[in-house]
Short mmCIF file of all heavy atoms in Angstrom, two decimals:
data_model
loop_
_atom_site.label_atom_id
_atom_site.label_comp_id
_atom_site.label_asym_id
_atom_site.label_seq_id
_atom_site.Cartn_x
_atom_site.Cartn_y
_atom_site.Cartn_z
N ALA A 644 -58.05 -0.69 67.64
CA ALA A 644 -57.75 -0.72 69.07
C ALA A 644 -57.73 -2.15 69.61
O ALA A 644 -57.01 -2.45 70.57
CB ALA A 644 -58.78 0.12 69.84
N ALA A 645 -58.50 -3.04 69.00
CA ALA A 645 -58.55 -4.44 69.45
C ALA A 645 -57.39 -5.25 68.88
O ALA A 645 -57.22 -6.42 69.22
CB ALA A 645 -59.88 -5.07 69.06
N GLY A 646 -56.60 -4.66 67.99
CA GLY A 646 -55.43 -5.34 67.47
C GLY A 646 -55.55 -5.92 66.08
O GLY A 646 -54.71 -6.71 65.65
N ALA A 647 -56.57 -5.53 65.35
CA ALA A 647 -56.75 -6.05 63.99
C ALA A 647 -56.00 -5.17 63.00
O ALA A 647 -55.74 -4.00 63.24
CB ALA A 647 -58.24 -6.07 63.62
N ILE A 648 -55.66 -5.77 61.88
CA ILE A 648 -55.17 -5.00 60.73
C ILE A 648 -56.42 -4.50 60.02
O ILE A 648 -57.30 -5.29 59.65
CB ILE A 648 -54.35 -5.90 59.78
CG1 ILE A 648 -53.15 -6.49 60.52
CG2 ILE A 648 -53.93 -5.13 58.55
CD1 ILE A 648 -52.48 -7.62 59.79
N VAL A 649 -56.53 -3.19 59.86
CA VAL A 649 -57.75 -2.61 59.32
C VAL A 649 -57.50 -2.11 57.90
O VAL A 649 -56.53 -1.41 57.64
CB VAL A 649 -58.27 -1.45 60.20
CG1 VAL A 649 -59.53 -0.84 59.61
CG2 VAL A 649 -58.52 -1.94 61.61
N VAL A 650 -58.39 -2.51 56.99
CA VAL A 650 -58.35 -2.07 55.60
C VAL A 650 -59.68 -1.39 55.32
O VAL A 650 -60.74 -1.97 55.56
CB VAL A 650 -58.16 -3.27 54.64
CG1 VAL A 650 -58.22 -2.82 53.20
CG2 VAL A 650 -56.88 -3.99 54.94
N CYS A 651 -59.62 -0.17 54.83
CA CYS A 651 -60.85 0.55 54.49
C CYS A 651 -61.17 0.31 53.01
O CYS A 651 -60.35 0.60 52.14
CB CYS A 651 -60.71 2.04 54.78
SG CYS A 651 -62.25 2.93 54.51
N HIS A 652 -62.33 -0.22 52.77
CA HIS A 652 -62.76 -0.53 51.40
C HIS A 652 -63.89 0.43 51.05
O HIS A 652 -64.95 0.40 51.66
CB HIS A 652 -63.24 -1.99 51.33
CG HIS A 652 -63.68 -2.40 49.97
ND1 HIS A 652 -62.81 -2.59 48.94
CD2 HIS A 652 -64.92 -2.61 49.47
CE1 HIS A 652 -63.48 -2.93 47.86
NE2 HIS A 652 -64.76 -2.95 48.16
N ARG A 653 -63.67 1.29 50.08
CA ARG A 653 -64.63 2.36 49.77
C ARG A 653 -65.65 2.01 48.70
O ARG A 653 -66.64 2.69 48.55
CB ARG A 653 -63.87 3.61 49.35
CG ARG A 653 -62.93 4.09 50.42
CD ARG A 653 -63.22 5.50 50.81
NE ARG A 653 -62.25 5.97 51.78
CZ ARG A 653 -62.54 6.16 53.06
NH1 ARG A 653 -63.74 5.93 53.50
NH2 ARG A 653 -61.62 6.60 53.88
N LEU A 654 -65.41 0.95 47.92
CA LEU A 654 -66.37 0.58 46.88
C LEU A 654 -67.64 0.05 47.54
O LEU A 654 -67.58 -0.76 48.46
CB LEU A 654 -65.80 -0.48 45.95
CG LEU A 654 -64.65 -0.05 45.05
CD1 LEU A 654 -64.13 -1.25 44.28
CD2 LEU A 654 -65.10 1.04 44.10
N PRO A 655 -68.81 0.48 47.07
CA PRO A 655 -70.05 0.01 47.69
C PRO A 655 -70.35 -1.45 47.33
O PRO A 655 -69.93 -1.95 46.30
CB PRO A 655 -71.11 0.94 47.10
CG PRO A 655 -70.54 1.38 45.79
CD PRO A 655 -69.05 1.43 45.99
N GLY A 656 -71.05 -2.10 48.22
CA GLY A 656 -71.52 -3.45 47.96
C GLY A 656 -70.80 -4.52 48.74
O GLY A 656 -69.59 -4.47 48.94
N TYR A 657 -71.60 -5.46 49.20
CA TYR A 657 -71.07 -6.55 50.02
C TYR A 657 -70.14 -7.46 49.22
O TYR A 657 -69.11 -7.90 49.70
CB TYR A 657 -72.23 -7.36 50.61
CG TYR A 657 -71.81 -8.51 51.46
CD1 TYR A 657 -71.23 -8.29 52.70
CD2 TYR A 657 -71.97 -9.82 51.04
CE1 TYR A 657 -70.83 -9.34 53.51
CE2 TYR A 657 -71.58 -10.89 51.82
CZ TYR A 657 -71.01 -10.63 53.06
OH TYR A 657 -70.61 -11.68 53.85
N GLY A 658 -70.49 -7.76 47.98
CA GLY A 658 -69.68 -8.65 47.16
C GLY A 658 -68.28 -8.10 46.94
O GLY A 658 -67.28 -8.82 47.02
N ALA A 659 -68.18 -6.81 46.67
CA ALA A 659 -66.87 -6.18 46.49
C ALA A 659 -66.07 -6.23 47.78
O ALA A 659 -64.85 -6.44 47.77
CB ALA A 659 -67.03 -4.74 46.01
N CYS A 660 -66.74 -6.06 48.90
CA CYS A 660 -66.06 -6.11 50.21
C CYS A 660 -65.55 -7.53 50.48
O CYS A 660 -64.44 -7.71 50.97
CB CYS A 660 -67.02 -5.66 51.31
SG CYS A 660 -66.27 -5.59 52.95
N VAL A 661 -66.34 -8.53 50.17
CA VAL A 661 -65.92 -9.92 50.38
C VAL A 661 -64.71 -10.23 49.48
O VAL A 661 -63.75 -10.87 49.92
CB VAL A 661 -67.09 -10.90 50.10
CG1 VAL A 661 -66.61 -12.32 49.96
CG2 VAL A 661 -68.13 -10.79 51.20
N HIS A 662 -64.76 -9.79 48.24
CA HIS A 662 -63.64 -10.01 47.33
C HIS A 662 -62.37 -9.36 47.88
O HIS A 662 -61.30 -9.97 47.89
CB HIS A 662 -63.97 -9.46 45.94
CG HIS A 662 -62.91 -9.75 44.93
ND1 HIS A 662 -61.88 -8.88 44.69
CD2 HIS A 662 -62.71 -10.82 44.12
CE1 HIS A 662 -61.08 -9.39 43.77
NE2 HIS A 662 -61.57 -10.56 43.41
N ARG A 663 -62.49 -8.14 48.37
CA ARG A 663 -61.33 -7.45 48.95
C ARG A 663 -60.83 -8.19 50.19
O ARG A 663 -59.62 -8.33 50.40
CB ARG A 663 -61.72 -6.01 49.29
CG ARG A 663 -60.65 -5.20 49.99
CD ARG A 663 -59.53 -4.79 49.01
NE ARG A 663 -58.47 -4.07 49.65
CZ ARG A 663 -58.41 -2.75 49.76
NH1 ARG A 663 -59.38 -2.00 49.28
NH2 ARG A 663 -57.38 -2.18 50.35
N ALA A 664 -61.76 -8.67 51.01
CA ALA A 664 -61.36 -9.40 52.22
C ALA A 664 -60.59 -10.67 51.87
O ALA A 664 -59.54 -10.95 52.48
CB ALA A 664 -62.60 -9.75 53.06
N LEU A 665 -61.06 -11.41 50.90
CA LEU A 665 -60.36 -12.63 50.51
C LEU A 665 -59.02 -12.31 49.86
O LEU A 665 -58.04 -13.03 50.05
CB LEU A 665 -61.23 -13.47 49.57
CG LEU A 665 -62.45 -14.09 50.24
CD1 LEU A 665 -63.36 -14.75 49.20
CD2 LEU A 665 -62.05 -15.08 51.31
N THR A 666 -58.95 -11.22 49.11
CA THR A 666 -57.68 -10.80 48.52
C THR A 666 -56.68 -10.42 49.61
O THR A 666 -55.52 -10.83 49.56
CB THR A 666 -57.91 -9.60 47.57
OG1 THR A 666 -58.83 -9.99 46.56
CG2 THR A 666 -56.61 -9.15 46.93
N GLU A 667 -57.12 -9.65 50.59
CA GLU A 667 -56.23 -9.24 51.69
C GLU A 667 -55.80 -10.45 52.51
O GLU A 667 -54.64 -10.56 52.90
CB GLU A 667 -56.93 -8.22 52.60
CG GLU A 667 -57.22 -6.90 51.94
CD GLU A 667 -55.98 -6.07 51.66
OE1 GLU A 667 -54.97 -6.24 52.38
OE2 GLU A 667 -56.03 -5.25 50.74
N GLY A 668 -56.72 -11.36 52.77
CA GLY A 668 -56.39 -12.54 53.57
C GLY A 668 -55.43 -13.48 52.89
O GLY A 668 -54.55 -14.06 53.52
N SER A 669 -55.59 -13.64 51.59
CA SER A 669 -54.71 -14.56 50.87
C SER A 669 -53.36 -13.94 50.53
O SER A 669 -52.46 -14.64 50.09
CB SER A 669 -55.39 -15.07 49.61
OG SER A 669 -55.66 -14.00 48.74
N ALA A 670 -53.20 -12.63 50.73
CA ALA A 670 -51.92 -11.98 50.46
C ALA A 670 -50.85 -12.41 51.47
O ALA A 670 -49.67 -12.44 51.16
CB ALA A 670 -52.08 -10.47 50.49
N ALA A 671 -51.27 -12.77 52.67
CA ALA A 671 -50.33 -13.25 53.68
C ALA A 671 -50.03 -14.71 53.39
O ALA A 671 -50.94 -15.52 53.31
CB ALA A 671 -50.93 -13.09 55.07
N GLU A 672 -48.78 -15.05 53.25
CA GLU A 672 -48.43 -16.41 52.84
C GLU A 672 -48.11 -17.34 54.00
O GLU A 672 -48.08 -18.55 53.82
CB GLU A 672 -47.24 -16.37 51.88
CG GLU A 672 -47.61 -15.73 50.56
CD GLU A 672 -46.47 -15.76 49.58
OE1 GLU A 672 -45.46 -16.45 49.84
OE2 GLU A 672 -46.57 -15.08 48.55
N ASP A 673 -47.83 -16.78 55.19
CA ASP A 673 -47.45 -17.69 56.27
C ASP A 673 -48.57 -18.65 56.65
O ASP A 673 -48.36 -19.83 56.65
CB ASP A 673 -46.88 -16.93 57.47
CG ASP A 673 -47.77 -15.79 57.95
OD1 ASP A 673 -48.59 -15.31 57.16
OD2 ASP A 673 -47.62 -15.37 59.10
N PRO A 674 -49.80 -18.21 56.91
CA PRO A 674 -50.86 -19.22 56.98
C PRO A 674 -51.47 -19.37 55.60
O PRO A 674 -51.81 -18.39 54.94
CB PRO A 674 -51.86 -18.65 57.97
CG PRO A 674 -51.55 -17.22 58.13
CD PRO A 674 -50.21 -16.96 57.53
N ALA A 675 -51.60 -20.60 55.16
CA ALA A 675 -52.14 -20.87 53.82
C ALA A 675 -53.66 -20.79 53.79
O ALA A 675 -54.25 -20.79 52.72
CB ALA A 675 -51.70 -22.24 53.35
N LEU A 676 -54.30 -20.72 54.94
CA LEU A 676 -55.75 -20.73 55.00
C LEU A 676 -56.29 -19.35 55.36
O LEU A 676 -55.71 -18.64 56.19
CB LEU A 676 -56.22 -21.74 56.05
CG LEU A 676 -55.81 -23.18 55.81
CD1 LEU A 676 -56.16 -24.04 57.01
CD2 LEU A 676 -56.47 -23.71 54.56
N THR A 677 -57.40 -18.99 54.75
CA THR A 677 -58.09 -17.74 55.05
C THR A 677 -59.52 -18.08 55.45
O THR A 677 -60.21 -18.81 54.75
CB THR A 677 -58.10 -16.81 53.82
OG1 THR A 677 -56.75 -16.57 53.43
CG2 THR A 677 -58.78 -15.51 54.13
N PHE A 678 -59.95 -17.54 56.58
CA PHE A 678 -61.28 -17.81 57.12
C PHE A 678 -62.08 -16.51 57.06
O PHE A 678 -61.77 -15.56 57.75
CB PHE A 678 -61.13 -18.32 58.55
CG PHE A 678 -62.40 -18.81 59.20
CD1 PHE A 678 -63.38 -19.44 58.48
CD2 PHE A 678 -62.59 -18.65 60.57
CE1 PHE A 678 -64.53 -19.90 59.09
CE2 PHE A 678 -63.73 -19.10 61.19
CZ PHE A 678 -64.71 -19.73 60.45
N LEU A 679 -63.10 -16.47 56.21
CA LEU A 679 -63.92 -15.28 56.01
C LEU A 679 -65.11 -15.31 56.96
O LEU A 679 -65.87 -16.28 56.98
CB LEU A 679 -64.41 -15.21 54.57
CG LEU A 679 -65.40 -14.11 54.22
CD1 LEU A 679 -64.74 -12.75 54.33
CD2 LEU A 679 -65.96 -14.34 52.83
N CYS A 680 -65.28 -14.25 57.73
CA CYS A 680 -66.39 -14.16 58.68
C CYS A 680 -66.96 -12.75 58.66
O CYS A 680 -66.48 -11.88 57.96
CB CYS A 680 -65.90 -14.49 60.09
SG CYS A 680 -65.26 -16.14 60.28
N GLU A 681 -67.95 -12.55 59.48
CA GLU A 681 -68.59 -11.24 59.65
C GLU A 681 -68.10 -10.61 60.94
O GLU A 681 -67.80 -11.31 61.90
CB GLU A 681 -70.11 -11.39 59.72
CG GLU A 681 -70.71 -12.12 58.55
CD GLU A 681 -70.64 -11.33 57.27
OE1 GLU A 681 -70.68 -10.09 57.33
OE2 GLU A 681 -70.53 -11.95 56.21
N GLY A 682 -68.07 -9.30 60.97
CA GLY A 682 -67.62 -8.59 62.16
C GLY A 682 -68.71 -8.34 63.18
O GLY A 682 -68.49 -7.67 64.18
#
């Protein structure tokens, strides 16, 4: 509702979630930088 692209990650664990977040962020090529934060 706030305008984010939402990806549901079902594997348990913070490390797996961070890996998925960095993978999703780096998939977009227009900005070359990915900034990982907490929600």
